[in-house]
Amino acid sequence: MSEINNQNNKTPWERVAGNGLLSRRHLLGLSLAGATGLIGSRVLAADASRVEIPQWSKRPGRDPSAYGSPSGFAQDVRRLAGNPNATLPGSGVSRTPLHLLQGNITPNSLHFERHHAGVPDIDPAQHQLLIHGLVRQPLRFRYEDLLAYPMQSRIHFLECSGNSGANTSPQAGDSSAAAIHGLLSCAEWTGVKLSTLLEEAGIAEGASWVTSTGADGASMGRSIPLNKALRDVFIALYQNGEPIRPEQGYPMRLFVPGWEGNVSVKWLTQIKLSDAPANFRDETSRYTDLLPDGRALQFTFPMGVKSLITSPSGQMQLRRQGLHEITGVAWSGSAAIRRVEVSADGGRSWADAHLEGTGQDLALTRFRLPWLWEGGPAVLQSRAIDAAGNVQPTRQQFQEIYSPANRFHYNAIQSWSVSEAGEVKNVYA
Ligand SMILES: Nc1nc2c(c(=O)[nH]1)N[C@H]1C(S)=C(S)[C@@H](COP(=O)(O)O)O[C@H]1N2
Ligand SMILES: [Mo]
């Protein structure tokens, strides 16, 4: 640990790892004025005798509205939409602009989308949820029936198992954080515990799997073991406080905390208890991990421990030398995030980031660390560790486990290079 002086206010910068990483201590006591020299005099000294009154302060503004929308000046904060698929209509994705967001919650309009046959327009009064199979009494629930049950709210991330798959390709693509990692969002989901409904139907002898089907044109279905279903799975009816969006499964979706997004079946219409997985199309043709010897893992349910620096990140441009905040998100499908380490020298040295999480299991956790960029090349990385002791792997470690053809469940450390010109790029380090 070495110390240098901040010339303006004589605060010693406490370096905690190589290439300019500074102590978390500076997140608290950092005075912008004192740091002006380092951030390039971007903060203007105020002249209190010449306060100009802007136009919008001189007349009343717009009236209240029934449903809010973002500022016209923040129109670039958008999902990254994929191209429509001509052979598979409605099959596609849009990605969360992770690099433009802060905190741990994804606004509903920016939650990523993955549809296999588009978004159905469901009238909740016509929709029903059937629970059948190995139960003592099959039951049929209408939307309004479910609204009458006791509910719970939980903050959880949702991640597609195809997320970050771009980084399994041999050459690192020059892409943004959203383009590579944007099949990831986090919301507060509210709904009815599946165990409550299953207990009401009565679980019959021999039931060990729960299969779920959606009411979309794909009739997408998935199977999960009964013990997971009884542990923490619920039927989500609300998303960040309002009725769940059509894109997320209105009027109801299965929510399976921590597990690959595909099992959280949207537009949920059937739940069937059985003694074996159903072998639906989406659990055989997809989402299975290919191993180096050509075999495939049948199921990989929990999403691996993972983190990502969202700023600075791919395709950004550092415009000045000096103090920057490195920030990003970390998550794990097995436990809460315990620790995030950051490196600015491609993994040679690491420092603990400050965590700003909700502390909740299976939710996003924001991390931050101050960084002094002195104009030299850098490779920024983050490495997450969860409360179960899982450590995010390097790209090389990930590749030793799976076939080079495997595109799913990629959770390796992301490296962003910073050039002397301040350009930030996706690289394999
Ligand atoms: N019925 C149905 N459920 C579905 C899908 C679908 O196409 N149809 N897509 C799945 C996939 S692959 C993922 S990653 C998540 C995406 O959820 P989101 O669109 O709310 O982000 O929903 C899953 N549930
Ligand atoms: Mo997915």
Side-chain angles (χ1 to χ4, degrees):
M1 202 187 300
S2 72
E3 292 190 346
I4 58 157
N5 281 328
N6 167 353
Q7 290 176 344
N8 291 47
N9 66 1
K10 300 280 185 264
T11 306
W13 293 111
E14 187 185 334
R15 294 181 184 248
V16 288
N19 212 3
L21 289 180
L22 302 180
S23 166
R24 289 177 280 176
R25 217 162 48 80
H26 295 299
L27 288 174
L28 305 169
L30 199 63
S31 129
L32 266 185
T36 305
L38 285 158
I39 67 171
S41 301
R42 307 248 303 179
V43 182
L44 305 177
D47 176 354
S49 66
R50 288 226 247 122
V51 177
E52 279 178 35
I53 309 292
Q55 281 308 312
W56 50 79
S57 299
K58 295 177 181 169
R59 53 171 186 262
R62 215 177 346 96
D63 283 325
S65 61
Y67 201 88
S69 53
S71 162
F73 298 97
Q75 293 297 316
D76 57 329
V77 187
R78 300 259 138 181
R79 285 193 285 231
L80 198 68
N83 295 324
N85 186 328
T87 44
L88 291 167
S91 174
V93 297
S94 70
R95 294 177 160 87
T96 295
L98 295 167
H99 57 301
L100 303 177
L101 301 180
Q102 275 290 349
N104 295 305
I105 297 291
T106 311
N108 289 343
S109 300
L110 299 174
H111 197 285
F112 84 93
E113 300 169 82
R114 171 69 180 111
H115 317 305
H116 290 76
V119 182
D121 190 15
I122 297 179
D123 173 358
Q126 310 286 321
H127 180 80
Q128 63 172 30
L129 171 61
L130 182 66
I131 297 188
H132 63 134
L134 292 175
V135 291
R136 279 197 270 281
Q137 172 63 60
L139 294 174
R140 190 174 59 96
F141 297 89
R142 291 165 302 173
Y143 179 60
E144 58 175 89
D145 298 331
L146 285 184
L147 289 177
Y149 276 81
M151 299 205 195
Q152 60 164 42
S153 296
R154 295 279 185 276
I155 295 174
H156 287 307
F157 74 84
L158 188 73
E159 185 183 19
C160 177
S161 48
N163 195 31
S164 320
N167 274 355
T168 63
S169 64
Q171 303 296 326
D174 179 11
S175 309
S176 68
I180 305 170
H181 304 289
L183 298 178
L184 166 77
S185 300
C186 183
E188 186 196 58
W189 304 93
T190 302
V192 180
K193 287 172 75 167
L194 182 56
S195 59
T196 307
L197 304 182
L198 292 182
E199 277 158 22
E200 199 162 326
I203 300 170
E205 188 83 8
S208 54
W209 284 79
V210 177
T211 70
S212 315
T213 319
D216 51 336
S219 296
M220 214 214 74
R222 282 297 304 256
S223 317
I224 58 170
L226 179 63
N227 58 12
K228 171 70 173 175
L230 295 177
R231 195 185 321 147
D232 58 1
V233 174
F234 56 102
I235 295 164
L237 302 164
Y238 293 86
Q239 171 186 0
N240 291 328
E242 66 178 350
I244 178 170
R245 291 284 174 93
E247 294 86 345
Q248 268 66 61
Y250 184 85
M252 59 186 71
R253 89 178 298 164
L254 194 70
F255 199 92
V256 185
W259 285 20
E260 59 177 356
N262 189 253
V263 297
S264 285
V265 171
K266 300 190 280 190
W267 314 294
L268 180 67
T269 189
Q270 276 194 49
I271 288 182
K272 188 177 176 185
L273 268 58
S274 59
D275 59 2
N279 294 320
F280 287 115
R281 174 178 177 276
D282 282 287
E283 49 202 25
T284 52
S285 74
R286 282 202 184 94
Y287 309 116
T288 51
D289 294 331
L290 207 54
L291 301 178
D293 64 4
R295 291 181 307 152
L297 297 176
Q298 186 175 16
F299 294 117
T300 302
F301 287 132
M303 295 305 290
V305 62
K306 192 164 169 182
S307 68
L308 162 74
I309 294 172
T310 53
S311 181
S313 63
Q315 297 182 340
M316 285 185 180
Q317 168 79 46
L318 300 186
R319 303 212 176 275
R320 52 174 175 78
Q321 293 180 24
L323 190 67
H324 290 264
E325 185 181 76
I326 294 177
T327 186
V329 285
W331 65 102
S332 163
S334 302
I337 288 297
R338 173 63 47 83
R339 188 171 167 198
V340 180
E341 299 167 301
V342 169
S343 174
D345 55 14
R348 275 190 291 279
S349 63
W350 298 89
D352 278 354
H354 170 69
L355 300 187
E356 255 185 7
T358 56
Q360 292 201 26
D361 280 5
L362 321 181
L364 289 193
T365 296
R366 168 110 356 221
F367 62 88
R368 303 179 190 280
L369 199 65
W371 177 48
L372 201 55
W373 182 51
E374 291 161 302
V379 174
L380 305 178
Q381 299 181 328
S382 63
R383 174 168 67 192
I385 299 163
D386 72 17
N390 299 302
V391 181
Q392 185 177 6
T394 63
R395 188 167 185 277
Q396 196 187 334
Q397 287 166 338
F398 182 89
Q399 286 182 313
E400 282 163 10
I401 303 173
Y402 300 105
S403 153
N406 183 43
R407 298 277 173 276
F408 295 116
H409 304 103
Y410 183 85
N411 70 325
I413 290 172
Q414 166 69 51
S415 305
W416 304 118
S417 73
V418 181
S419 72
E420 288 176 1
E423 292 169 321
V424 188
K425 276 203 162 72
N426 177 35
V427 290
Y428 298 155

